Each structure stands twice: as C-alpha cells, then as structure tokens.
C-alpha cells in the first residue's frame, strides 16, 4: 500500500507520540507499505514554524528532511494532476493543506494516514 502521511501524523511519528493509534503504528511499520510525505506537509510545517505556532528543535529545512530520511519516508512532489483535483472536492474542509493532501491521495491512489474525521468525508481511502 502507498501511504501519504498527514502533517500531524508525520510529527507524531517523529516524536513517537502517544497520539498515534495502534493501527497507525502498525501500518507505518509494515515494510510492505511505501510511505510518503508531501511537500505540502513540509510547506505547512515551515509556515506554522515561521508564525511561531510550531516549535521545532531545529529549522524546518533541516528538521523535515532529517526525519524523513531517518524514518525511510519518501518525498512526494506536488504535480498538476493533483492540483487539478481541487475543483472536484466537496467543501467539507477549510484547511488548504489538508485539501491538497486529499487531492494528492486521489490523484495517485494513495491511502491517507490521518486521524482527521473531516478528511474521511472525502472520497479518499484513509487509515488510522
């Protein structure tokens, strides 16, 4: 299975947080799954850090790639096919970062690893 991490999921994995469900831990740890972090998540992390809403132990430009590599997570670029999905989405969610993750999951056939109940209202596969 190809998994796309929600931003909070990536951060919780990095911190080995108790916020992660047992199912999320199992799916993430399964070597049969390919794990991706969207550049949209990196963008969200950088924006929130710059606004002072997300403290990190180091600058996002070092923190995100370091954690991706440490956990064997691939980077997923944002492409035109994914962006063009936005007009097909119902208006369940106001968060532009989450909406773009839904678009990427739809365009590439990924499963989103997310605890967000609003995301599960979209026609996208989710796991948690």
């Amino acid at each position: 299975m190809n998994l796309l991490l929600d931003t909070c999921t990536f951060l919780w994995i990095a911190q080995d947080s108790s916020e992660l469900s047992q199912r999320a831990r199992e799916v993430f740890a399964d070597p049969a799954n390919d794990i991706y972090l969207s550049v949209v998540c990196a963008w969200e992390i950088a924006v929130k850090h710059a606004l002072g809403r997300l403290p990190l132990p180091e600058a996002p430009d070092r923190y995100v790639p370091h954690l991706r590599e440490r956990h064997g997570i691939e980077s997923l670029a944002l492409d035109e096919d994914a962006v063009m999905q936005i007009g097909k989405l119902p208006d369940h969610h106001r968060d532009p970062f989450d909406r773009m993750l839904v678009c990427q999951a739809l365009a590439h056939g990924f499963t989103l690893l997310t605890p967000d109940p609003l995301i599960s209202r979209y026609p996208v596969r989710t796991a948690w």
Side-chain angles (χ1 to χ4, degrees):
M1 173 173 20
N2 288 327
L3 293 173
L4 183 59
L5 302 179
D6 192 351
T7 305
C8 64
T9 305
F10 173 71
L11 293 170
W12 291 342
I13 287 168
Q15 301 164 358
D16 192 26
S17 173
S18 62
E19 298 285 338
L20 286 170
S21 71
Q22 185 59 37
R23 171 81 173 127
R25 288 176 190 279
E26 291 167 2
V27 170
F28 178 77
D30 186 339
N33 294 331
D34 293 320
I35 313 292
Y36 294 86
L37 181 72
S38 172
V39 297
V40 171
C41 293
W43 180 15
E44 181 178 17
I45 289 167
V47 166
K48 288 183 177 180
H49 181 73
L51 293 173
R53 293 177 35 207
L54 180 61
L56 299 172
E58 60 184 329
D61 63 331
R62 289 187 302 278
Y63 186 71
V64 171
H66 171 76
L67 287 176
R68 267 193 328 88
E69 291 169 14
R70 188 170 108 203
H71 292 284
I73 301 168
E74 296 294 322
S75 179
L76 179 66
L78 181 60
D79 60 37
E80 187 174 309
D81 287 343
V83 171
M84 293 303 159
Q85 296 292 319
I86 198 79
K88 300 175 186 176
L89 292 184
D91 199 20
H92 297 313
H93 208 290
R94 293 284 181 203
D95 185 319
F97 297 111
D98 286 346
R99 289 176 59 84
M100 195 51 57
L101 290 178
V102 169
C103 289
Q104 285 185 294
L106 289 170
H108 300 290
F110 287 6
T111 298
L112 258 169
L113 192 57
T114 180
D116 189 334
L118 289 177
I119 289 178
S120 65
R121 293 177 63 192
Y122 290 102
V124 65
R125 286 187 311 270
T126 61
W128 193 250

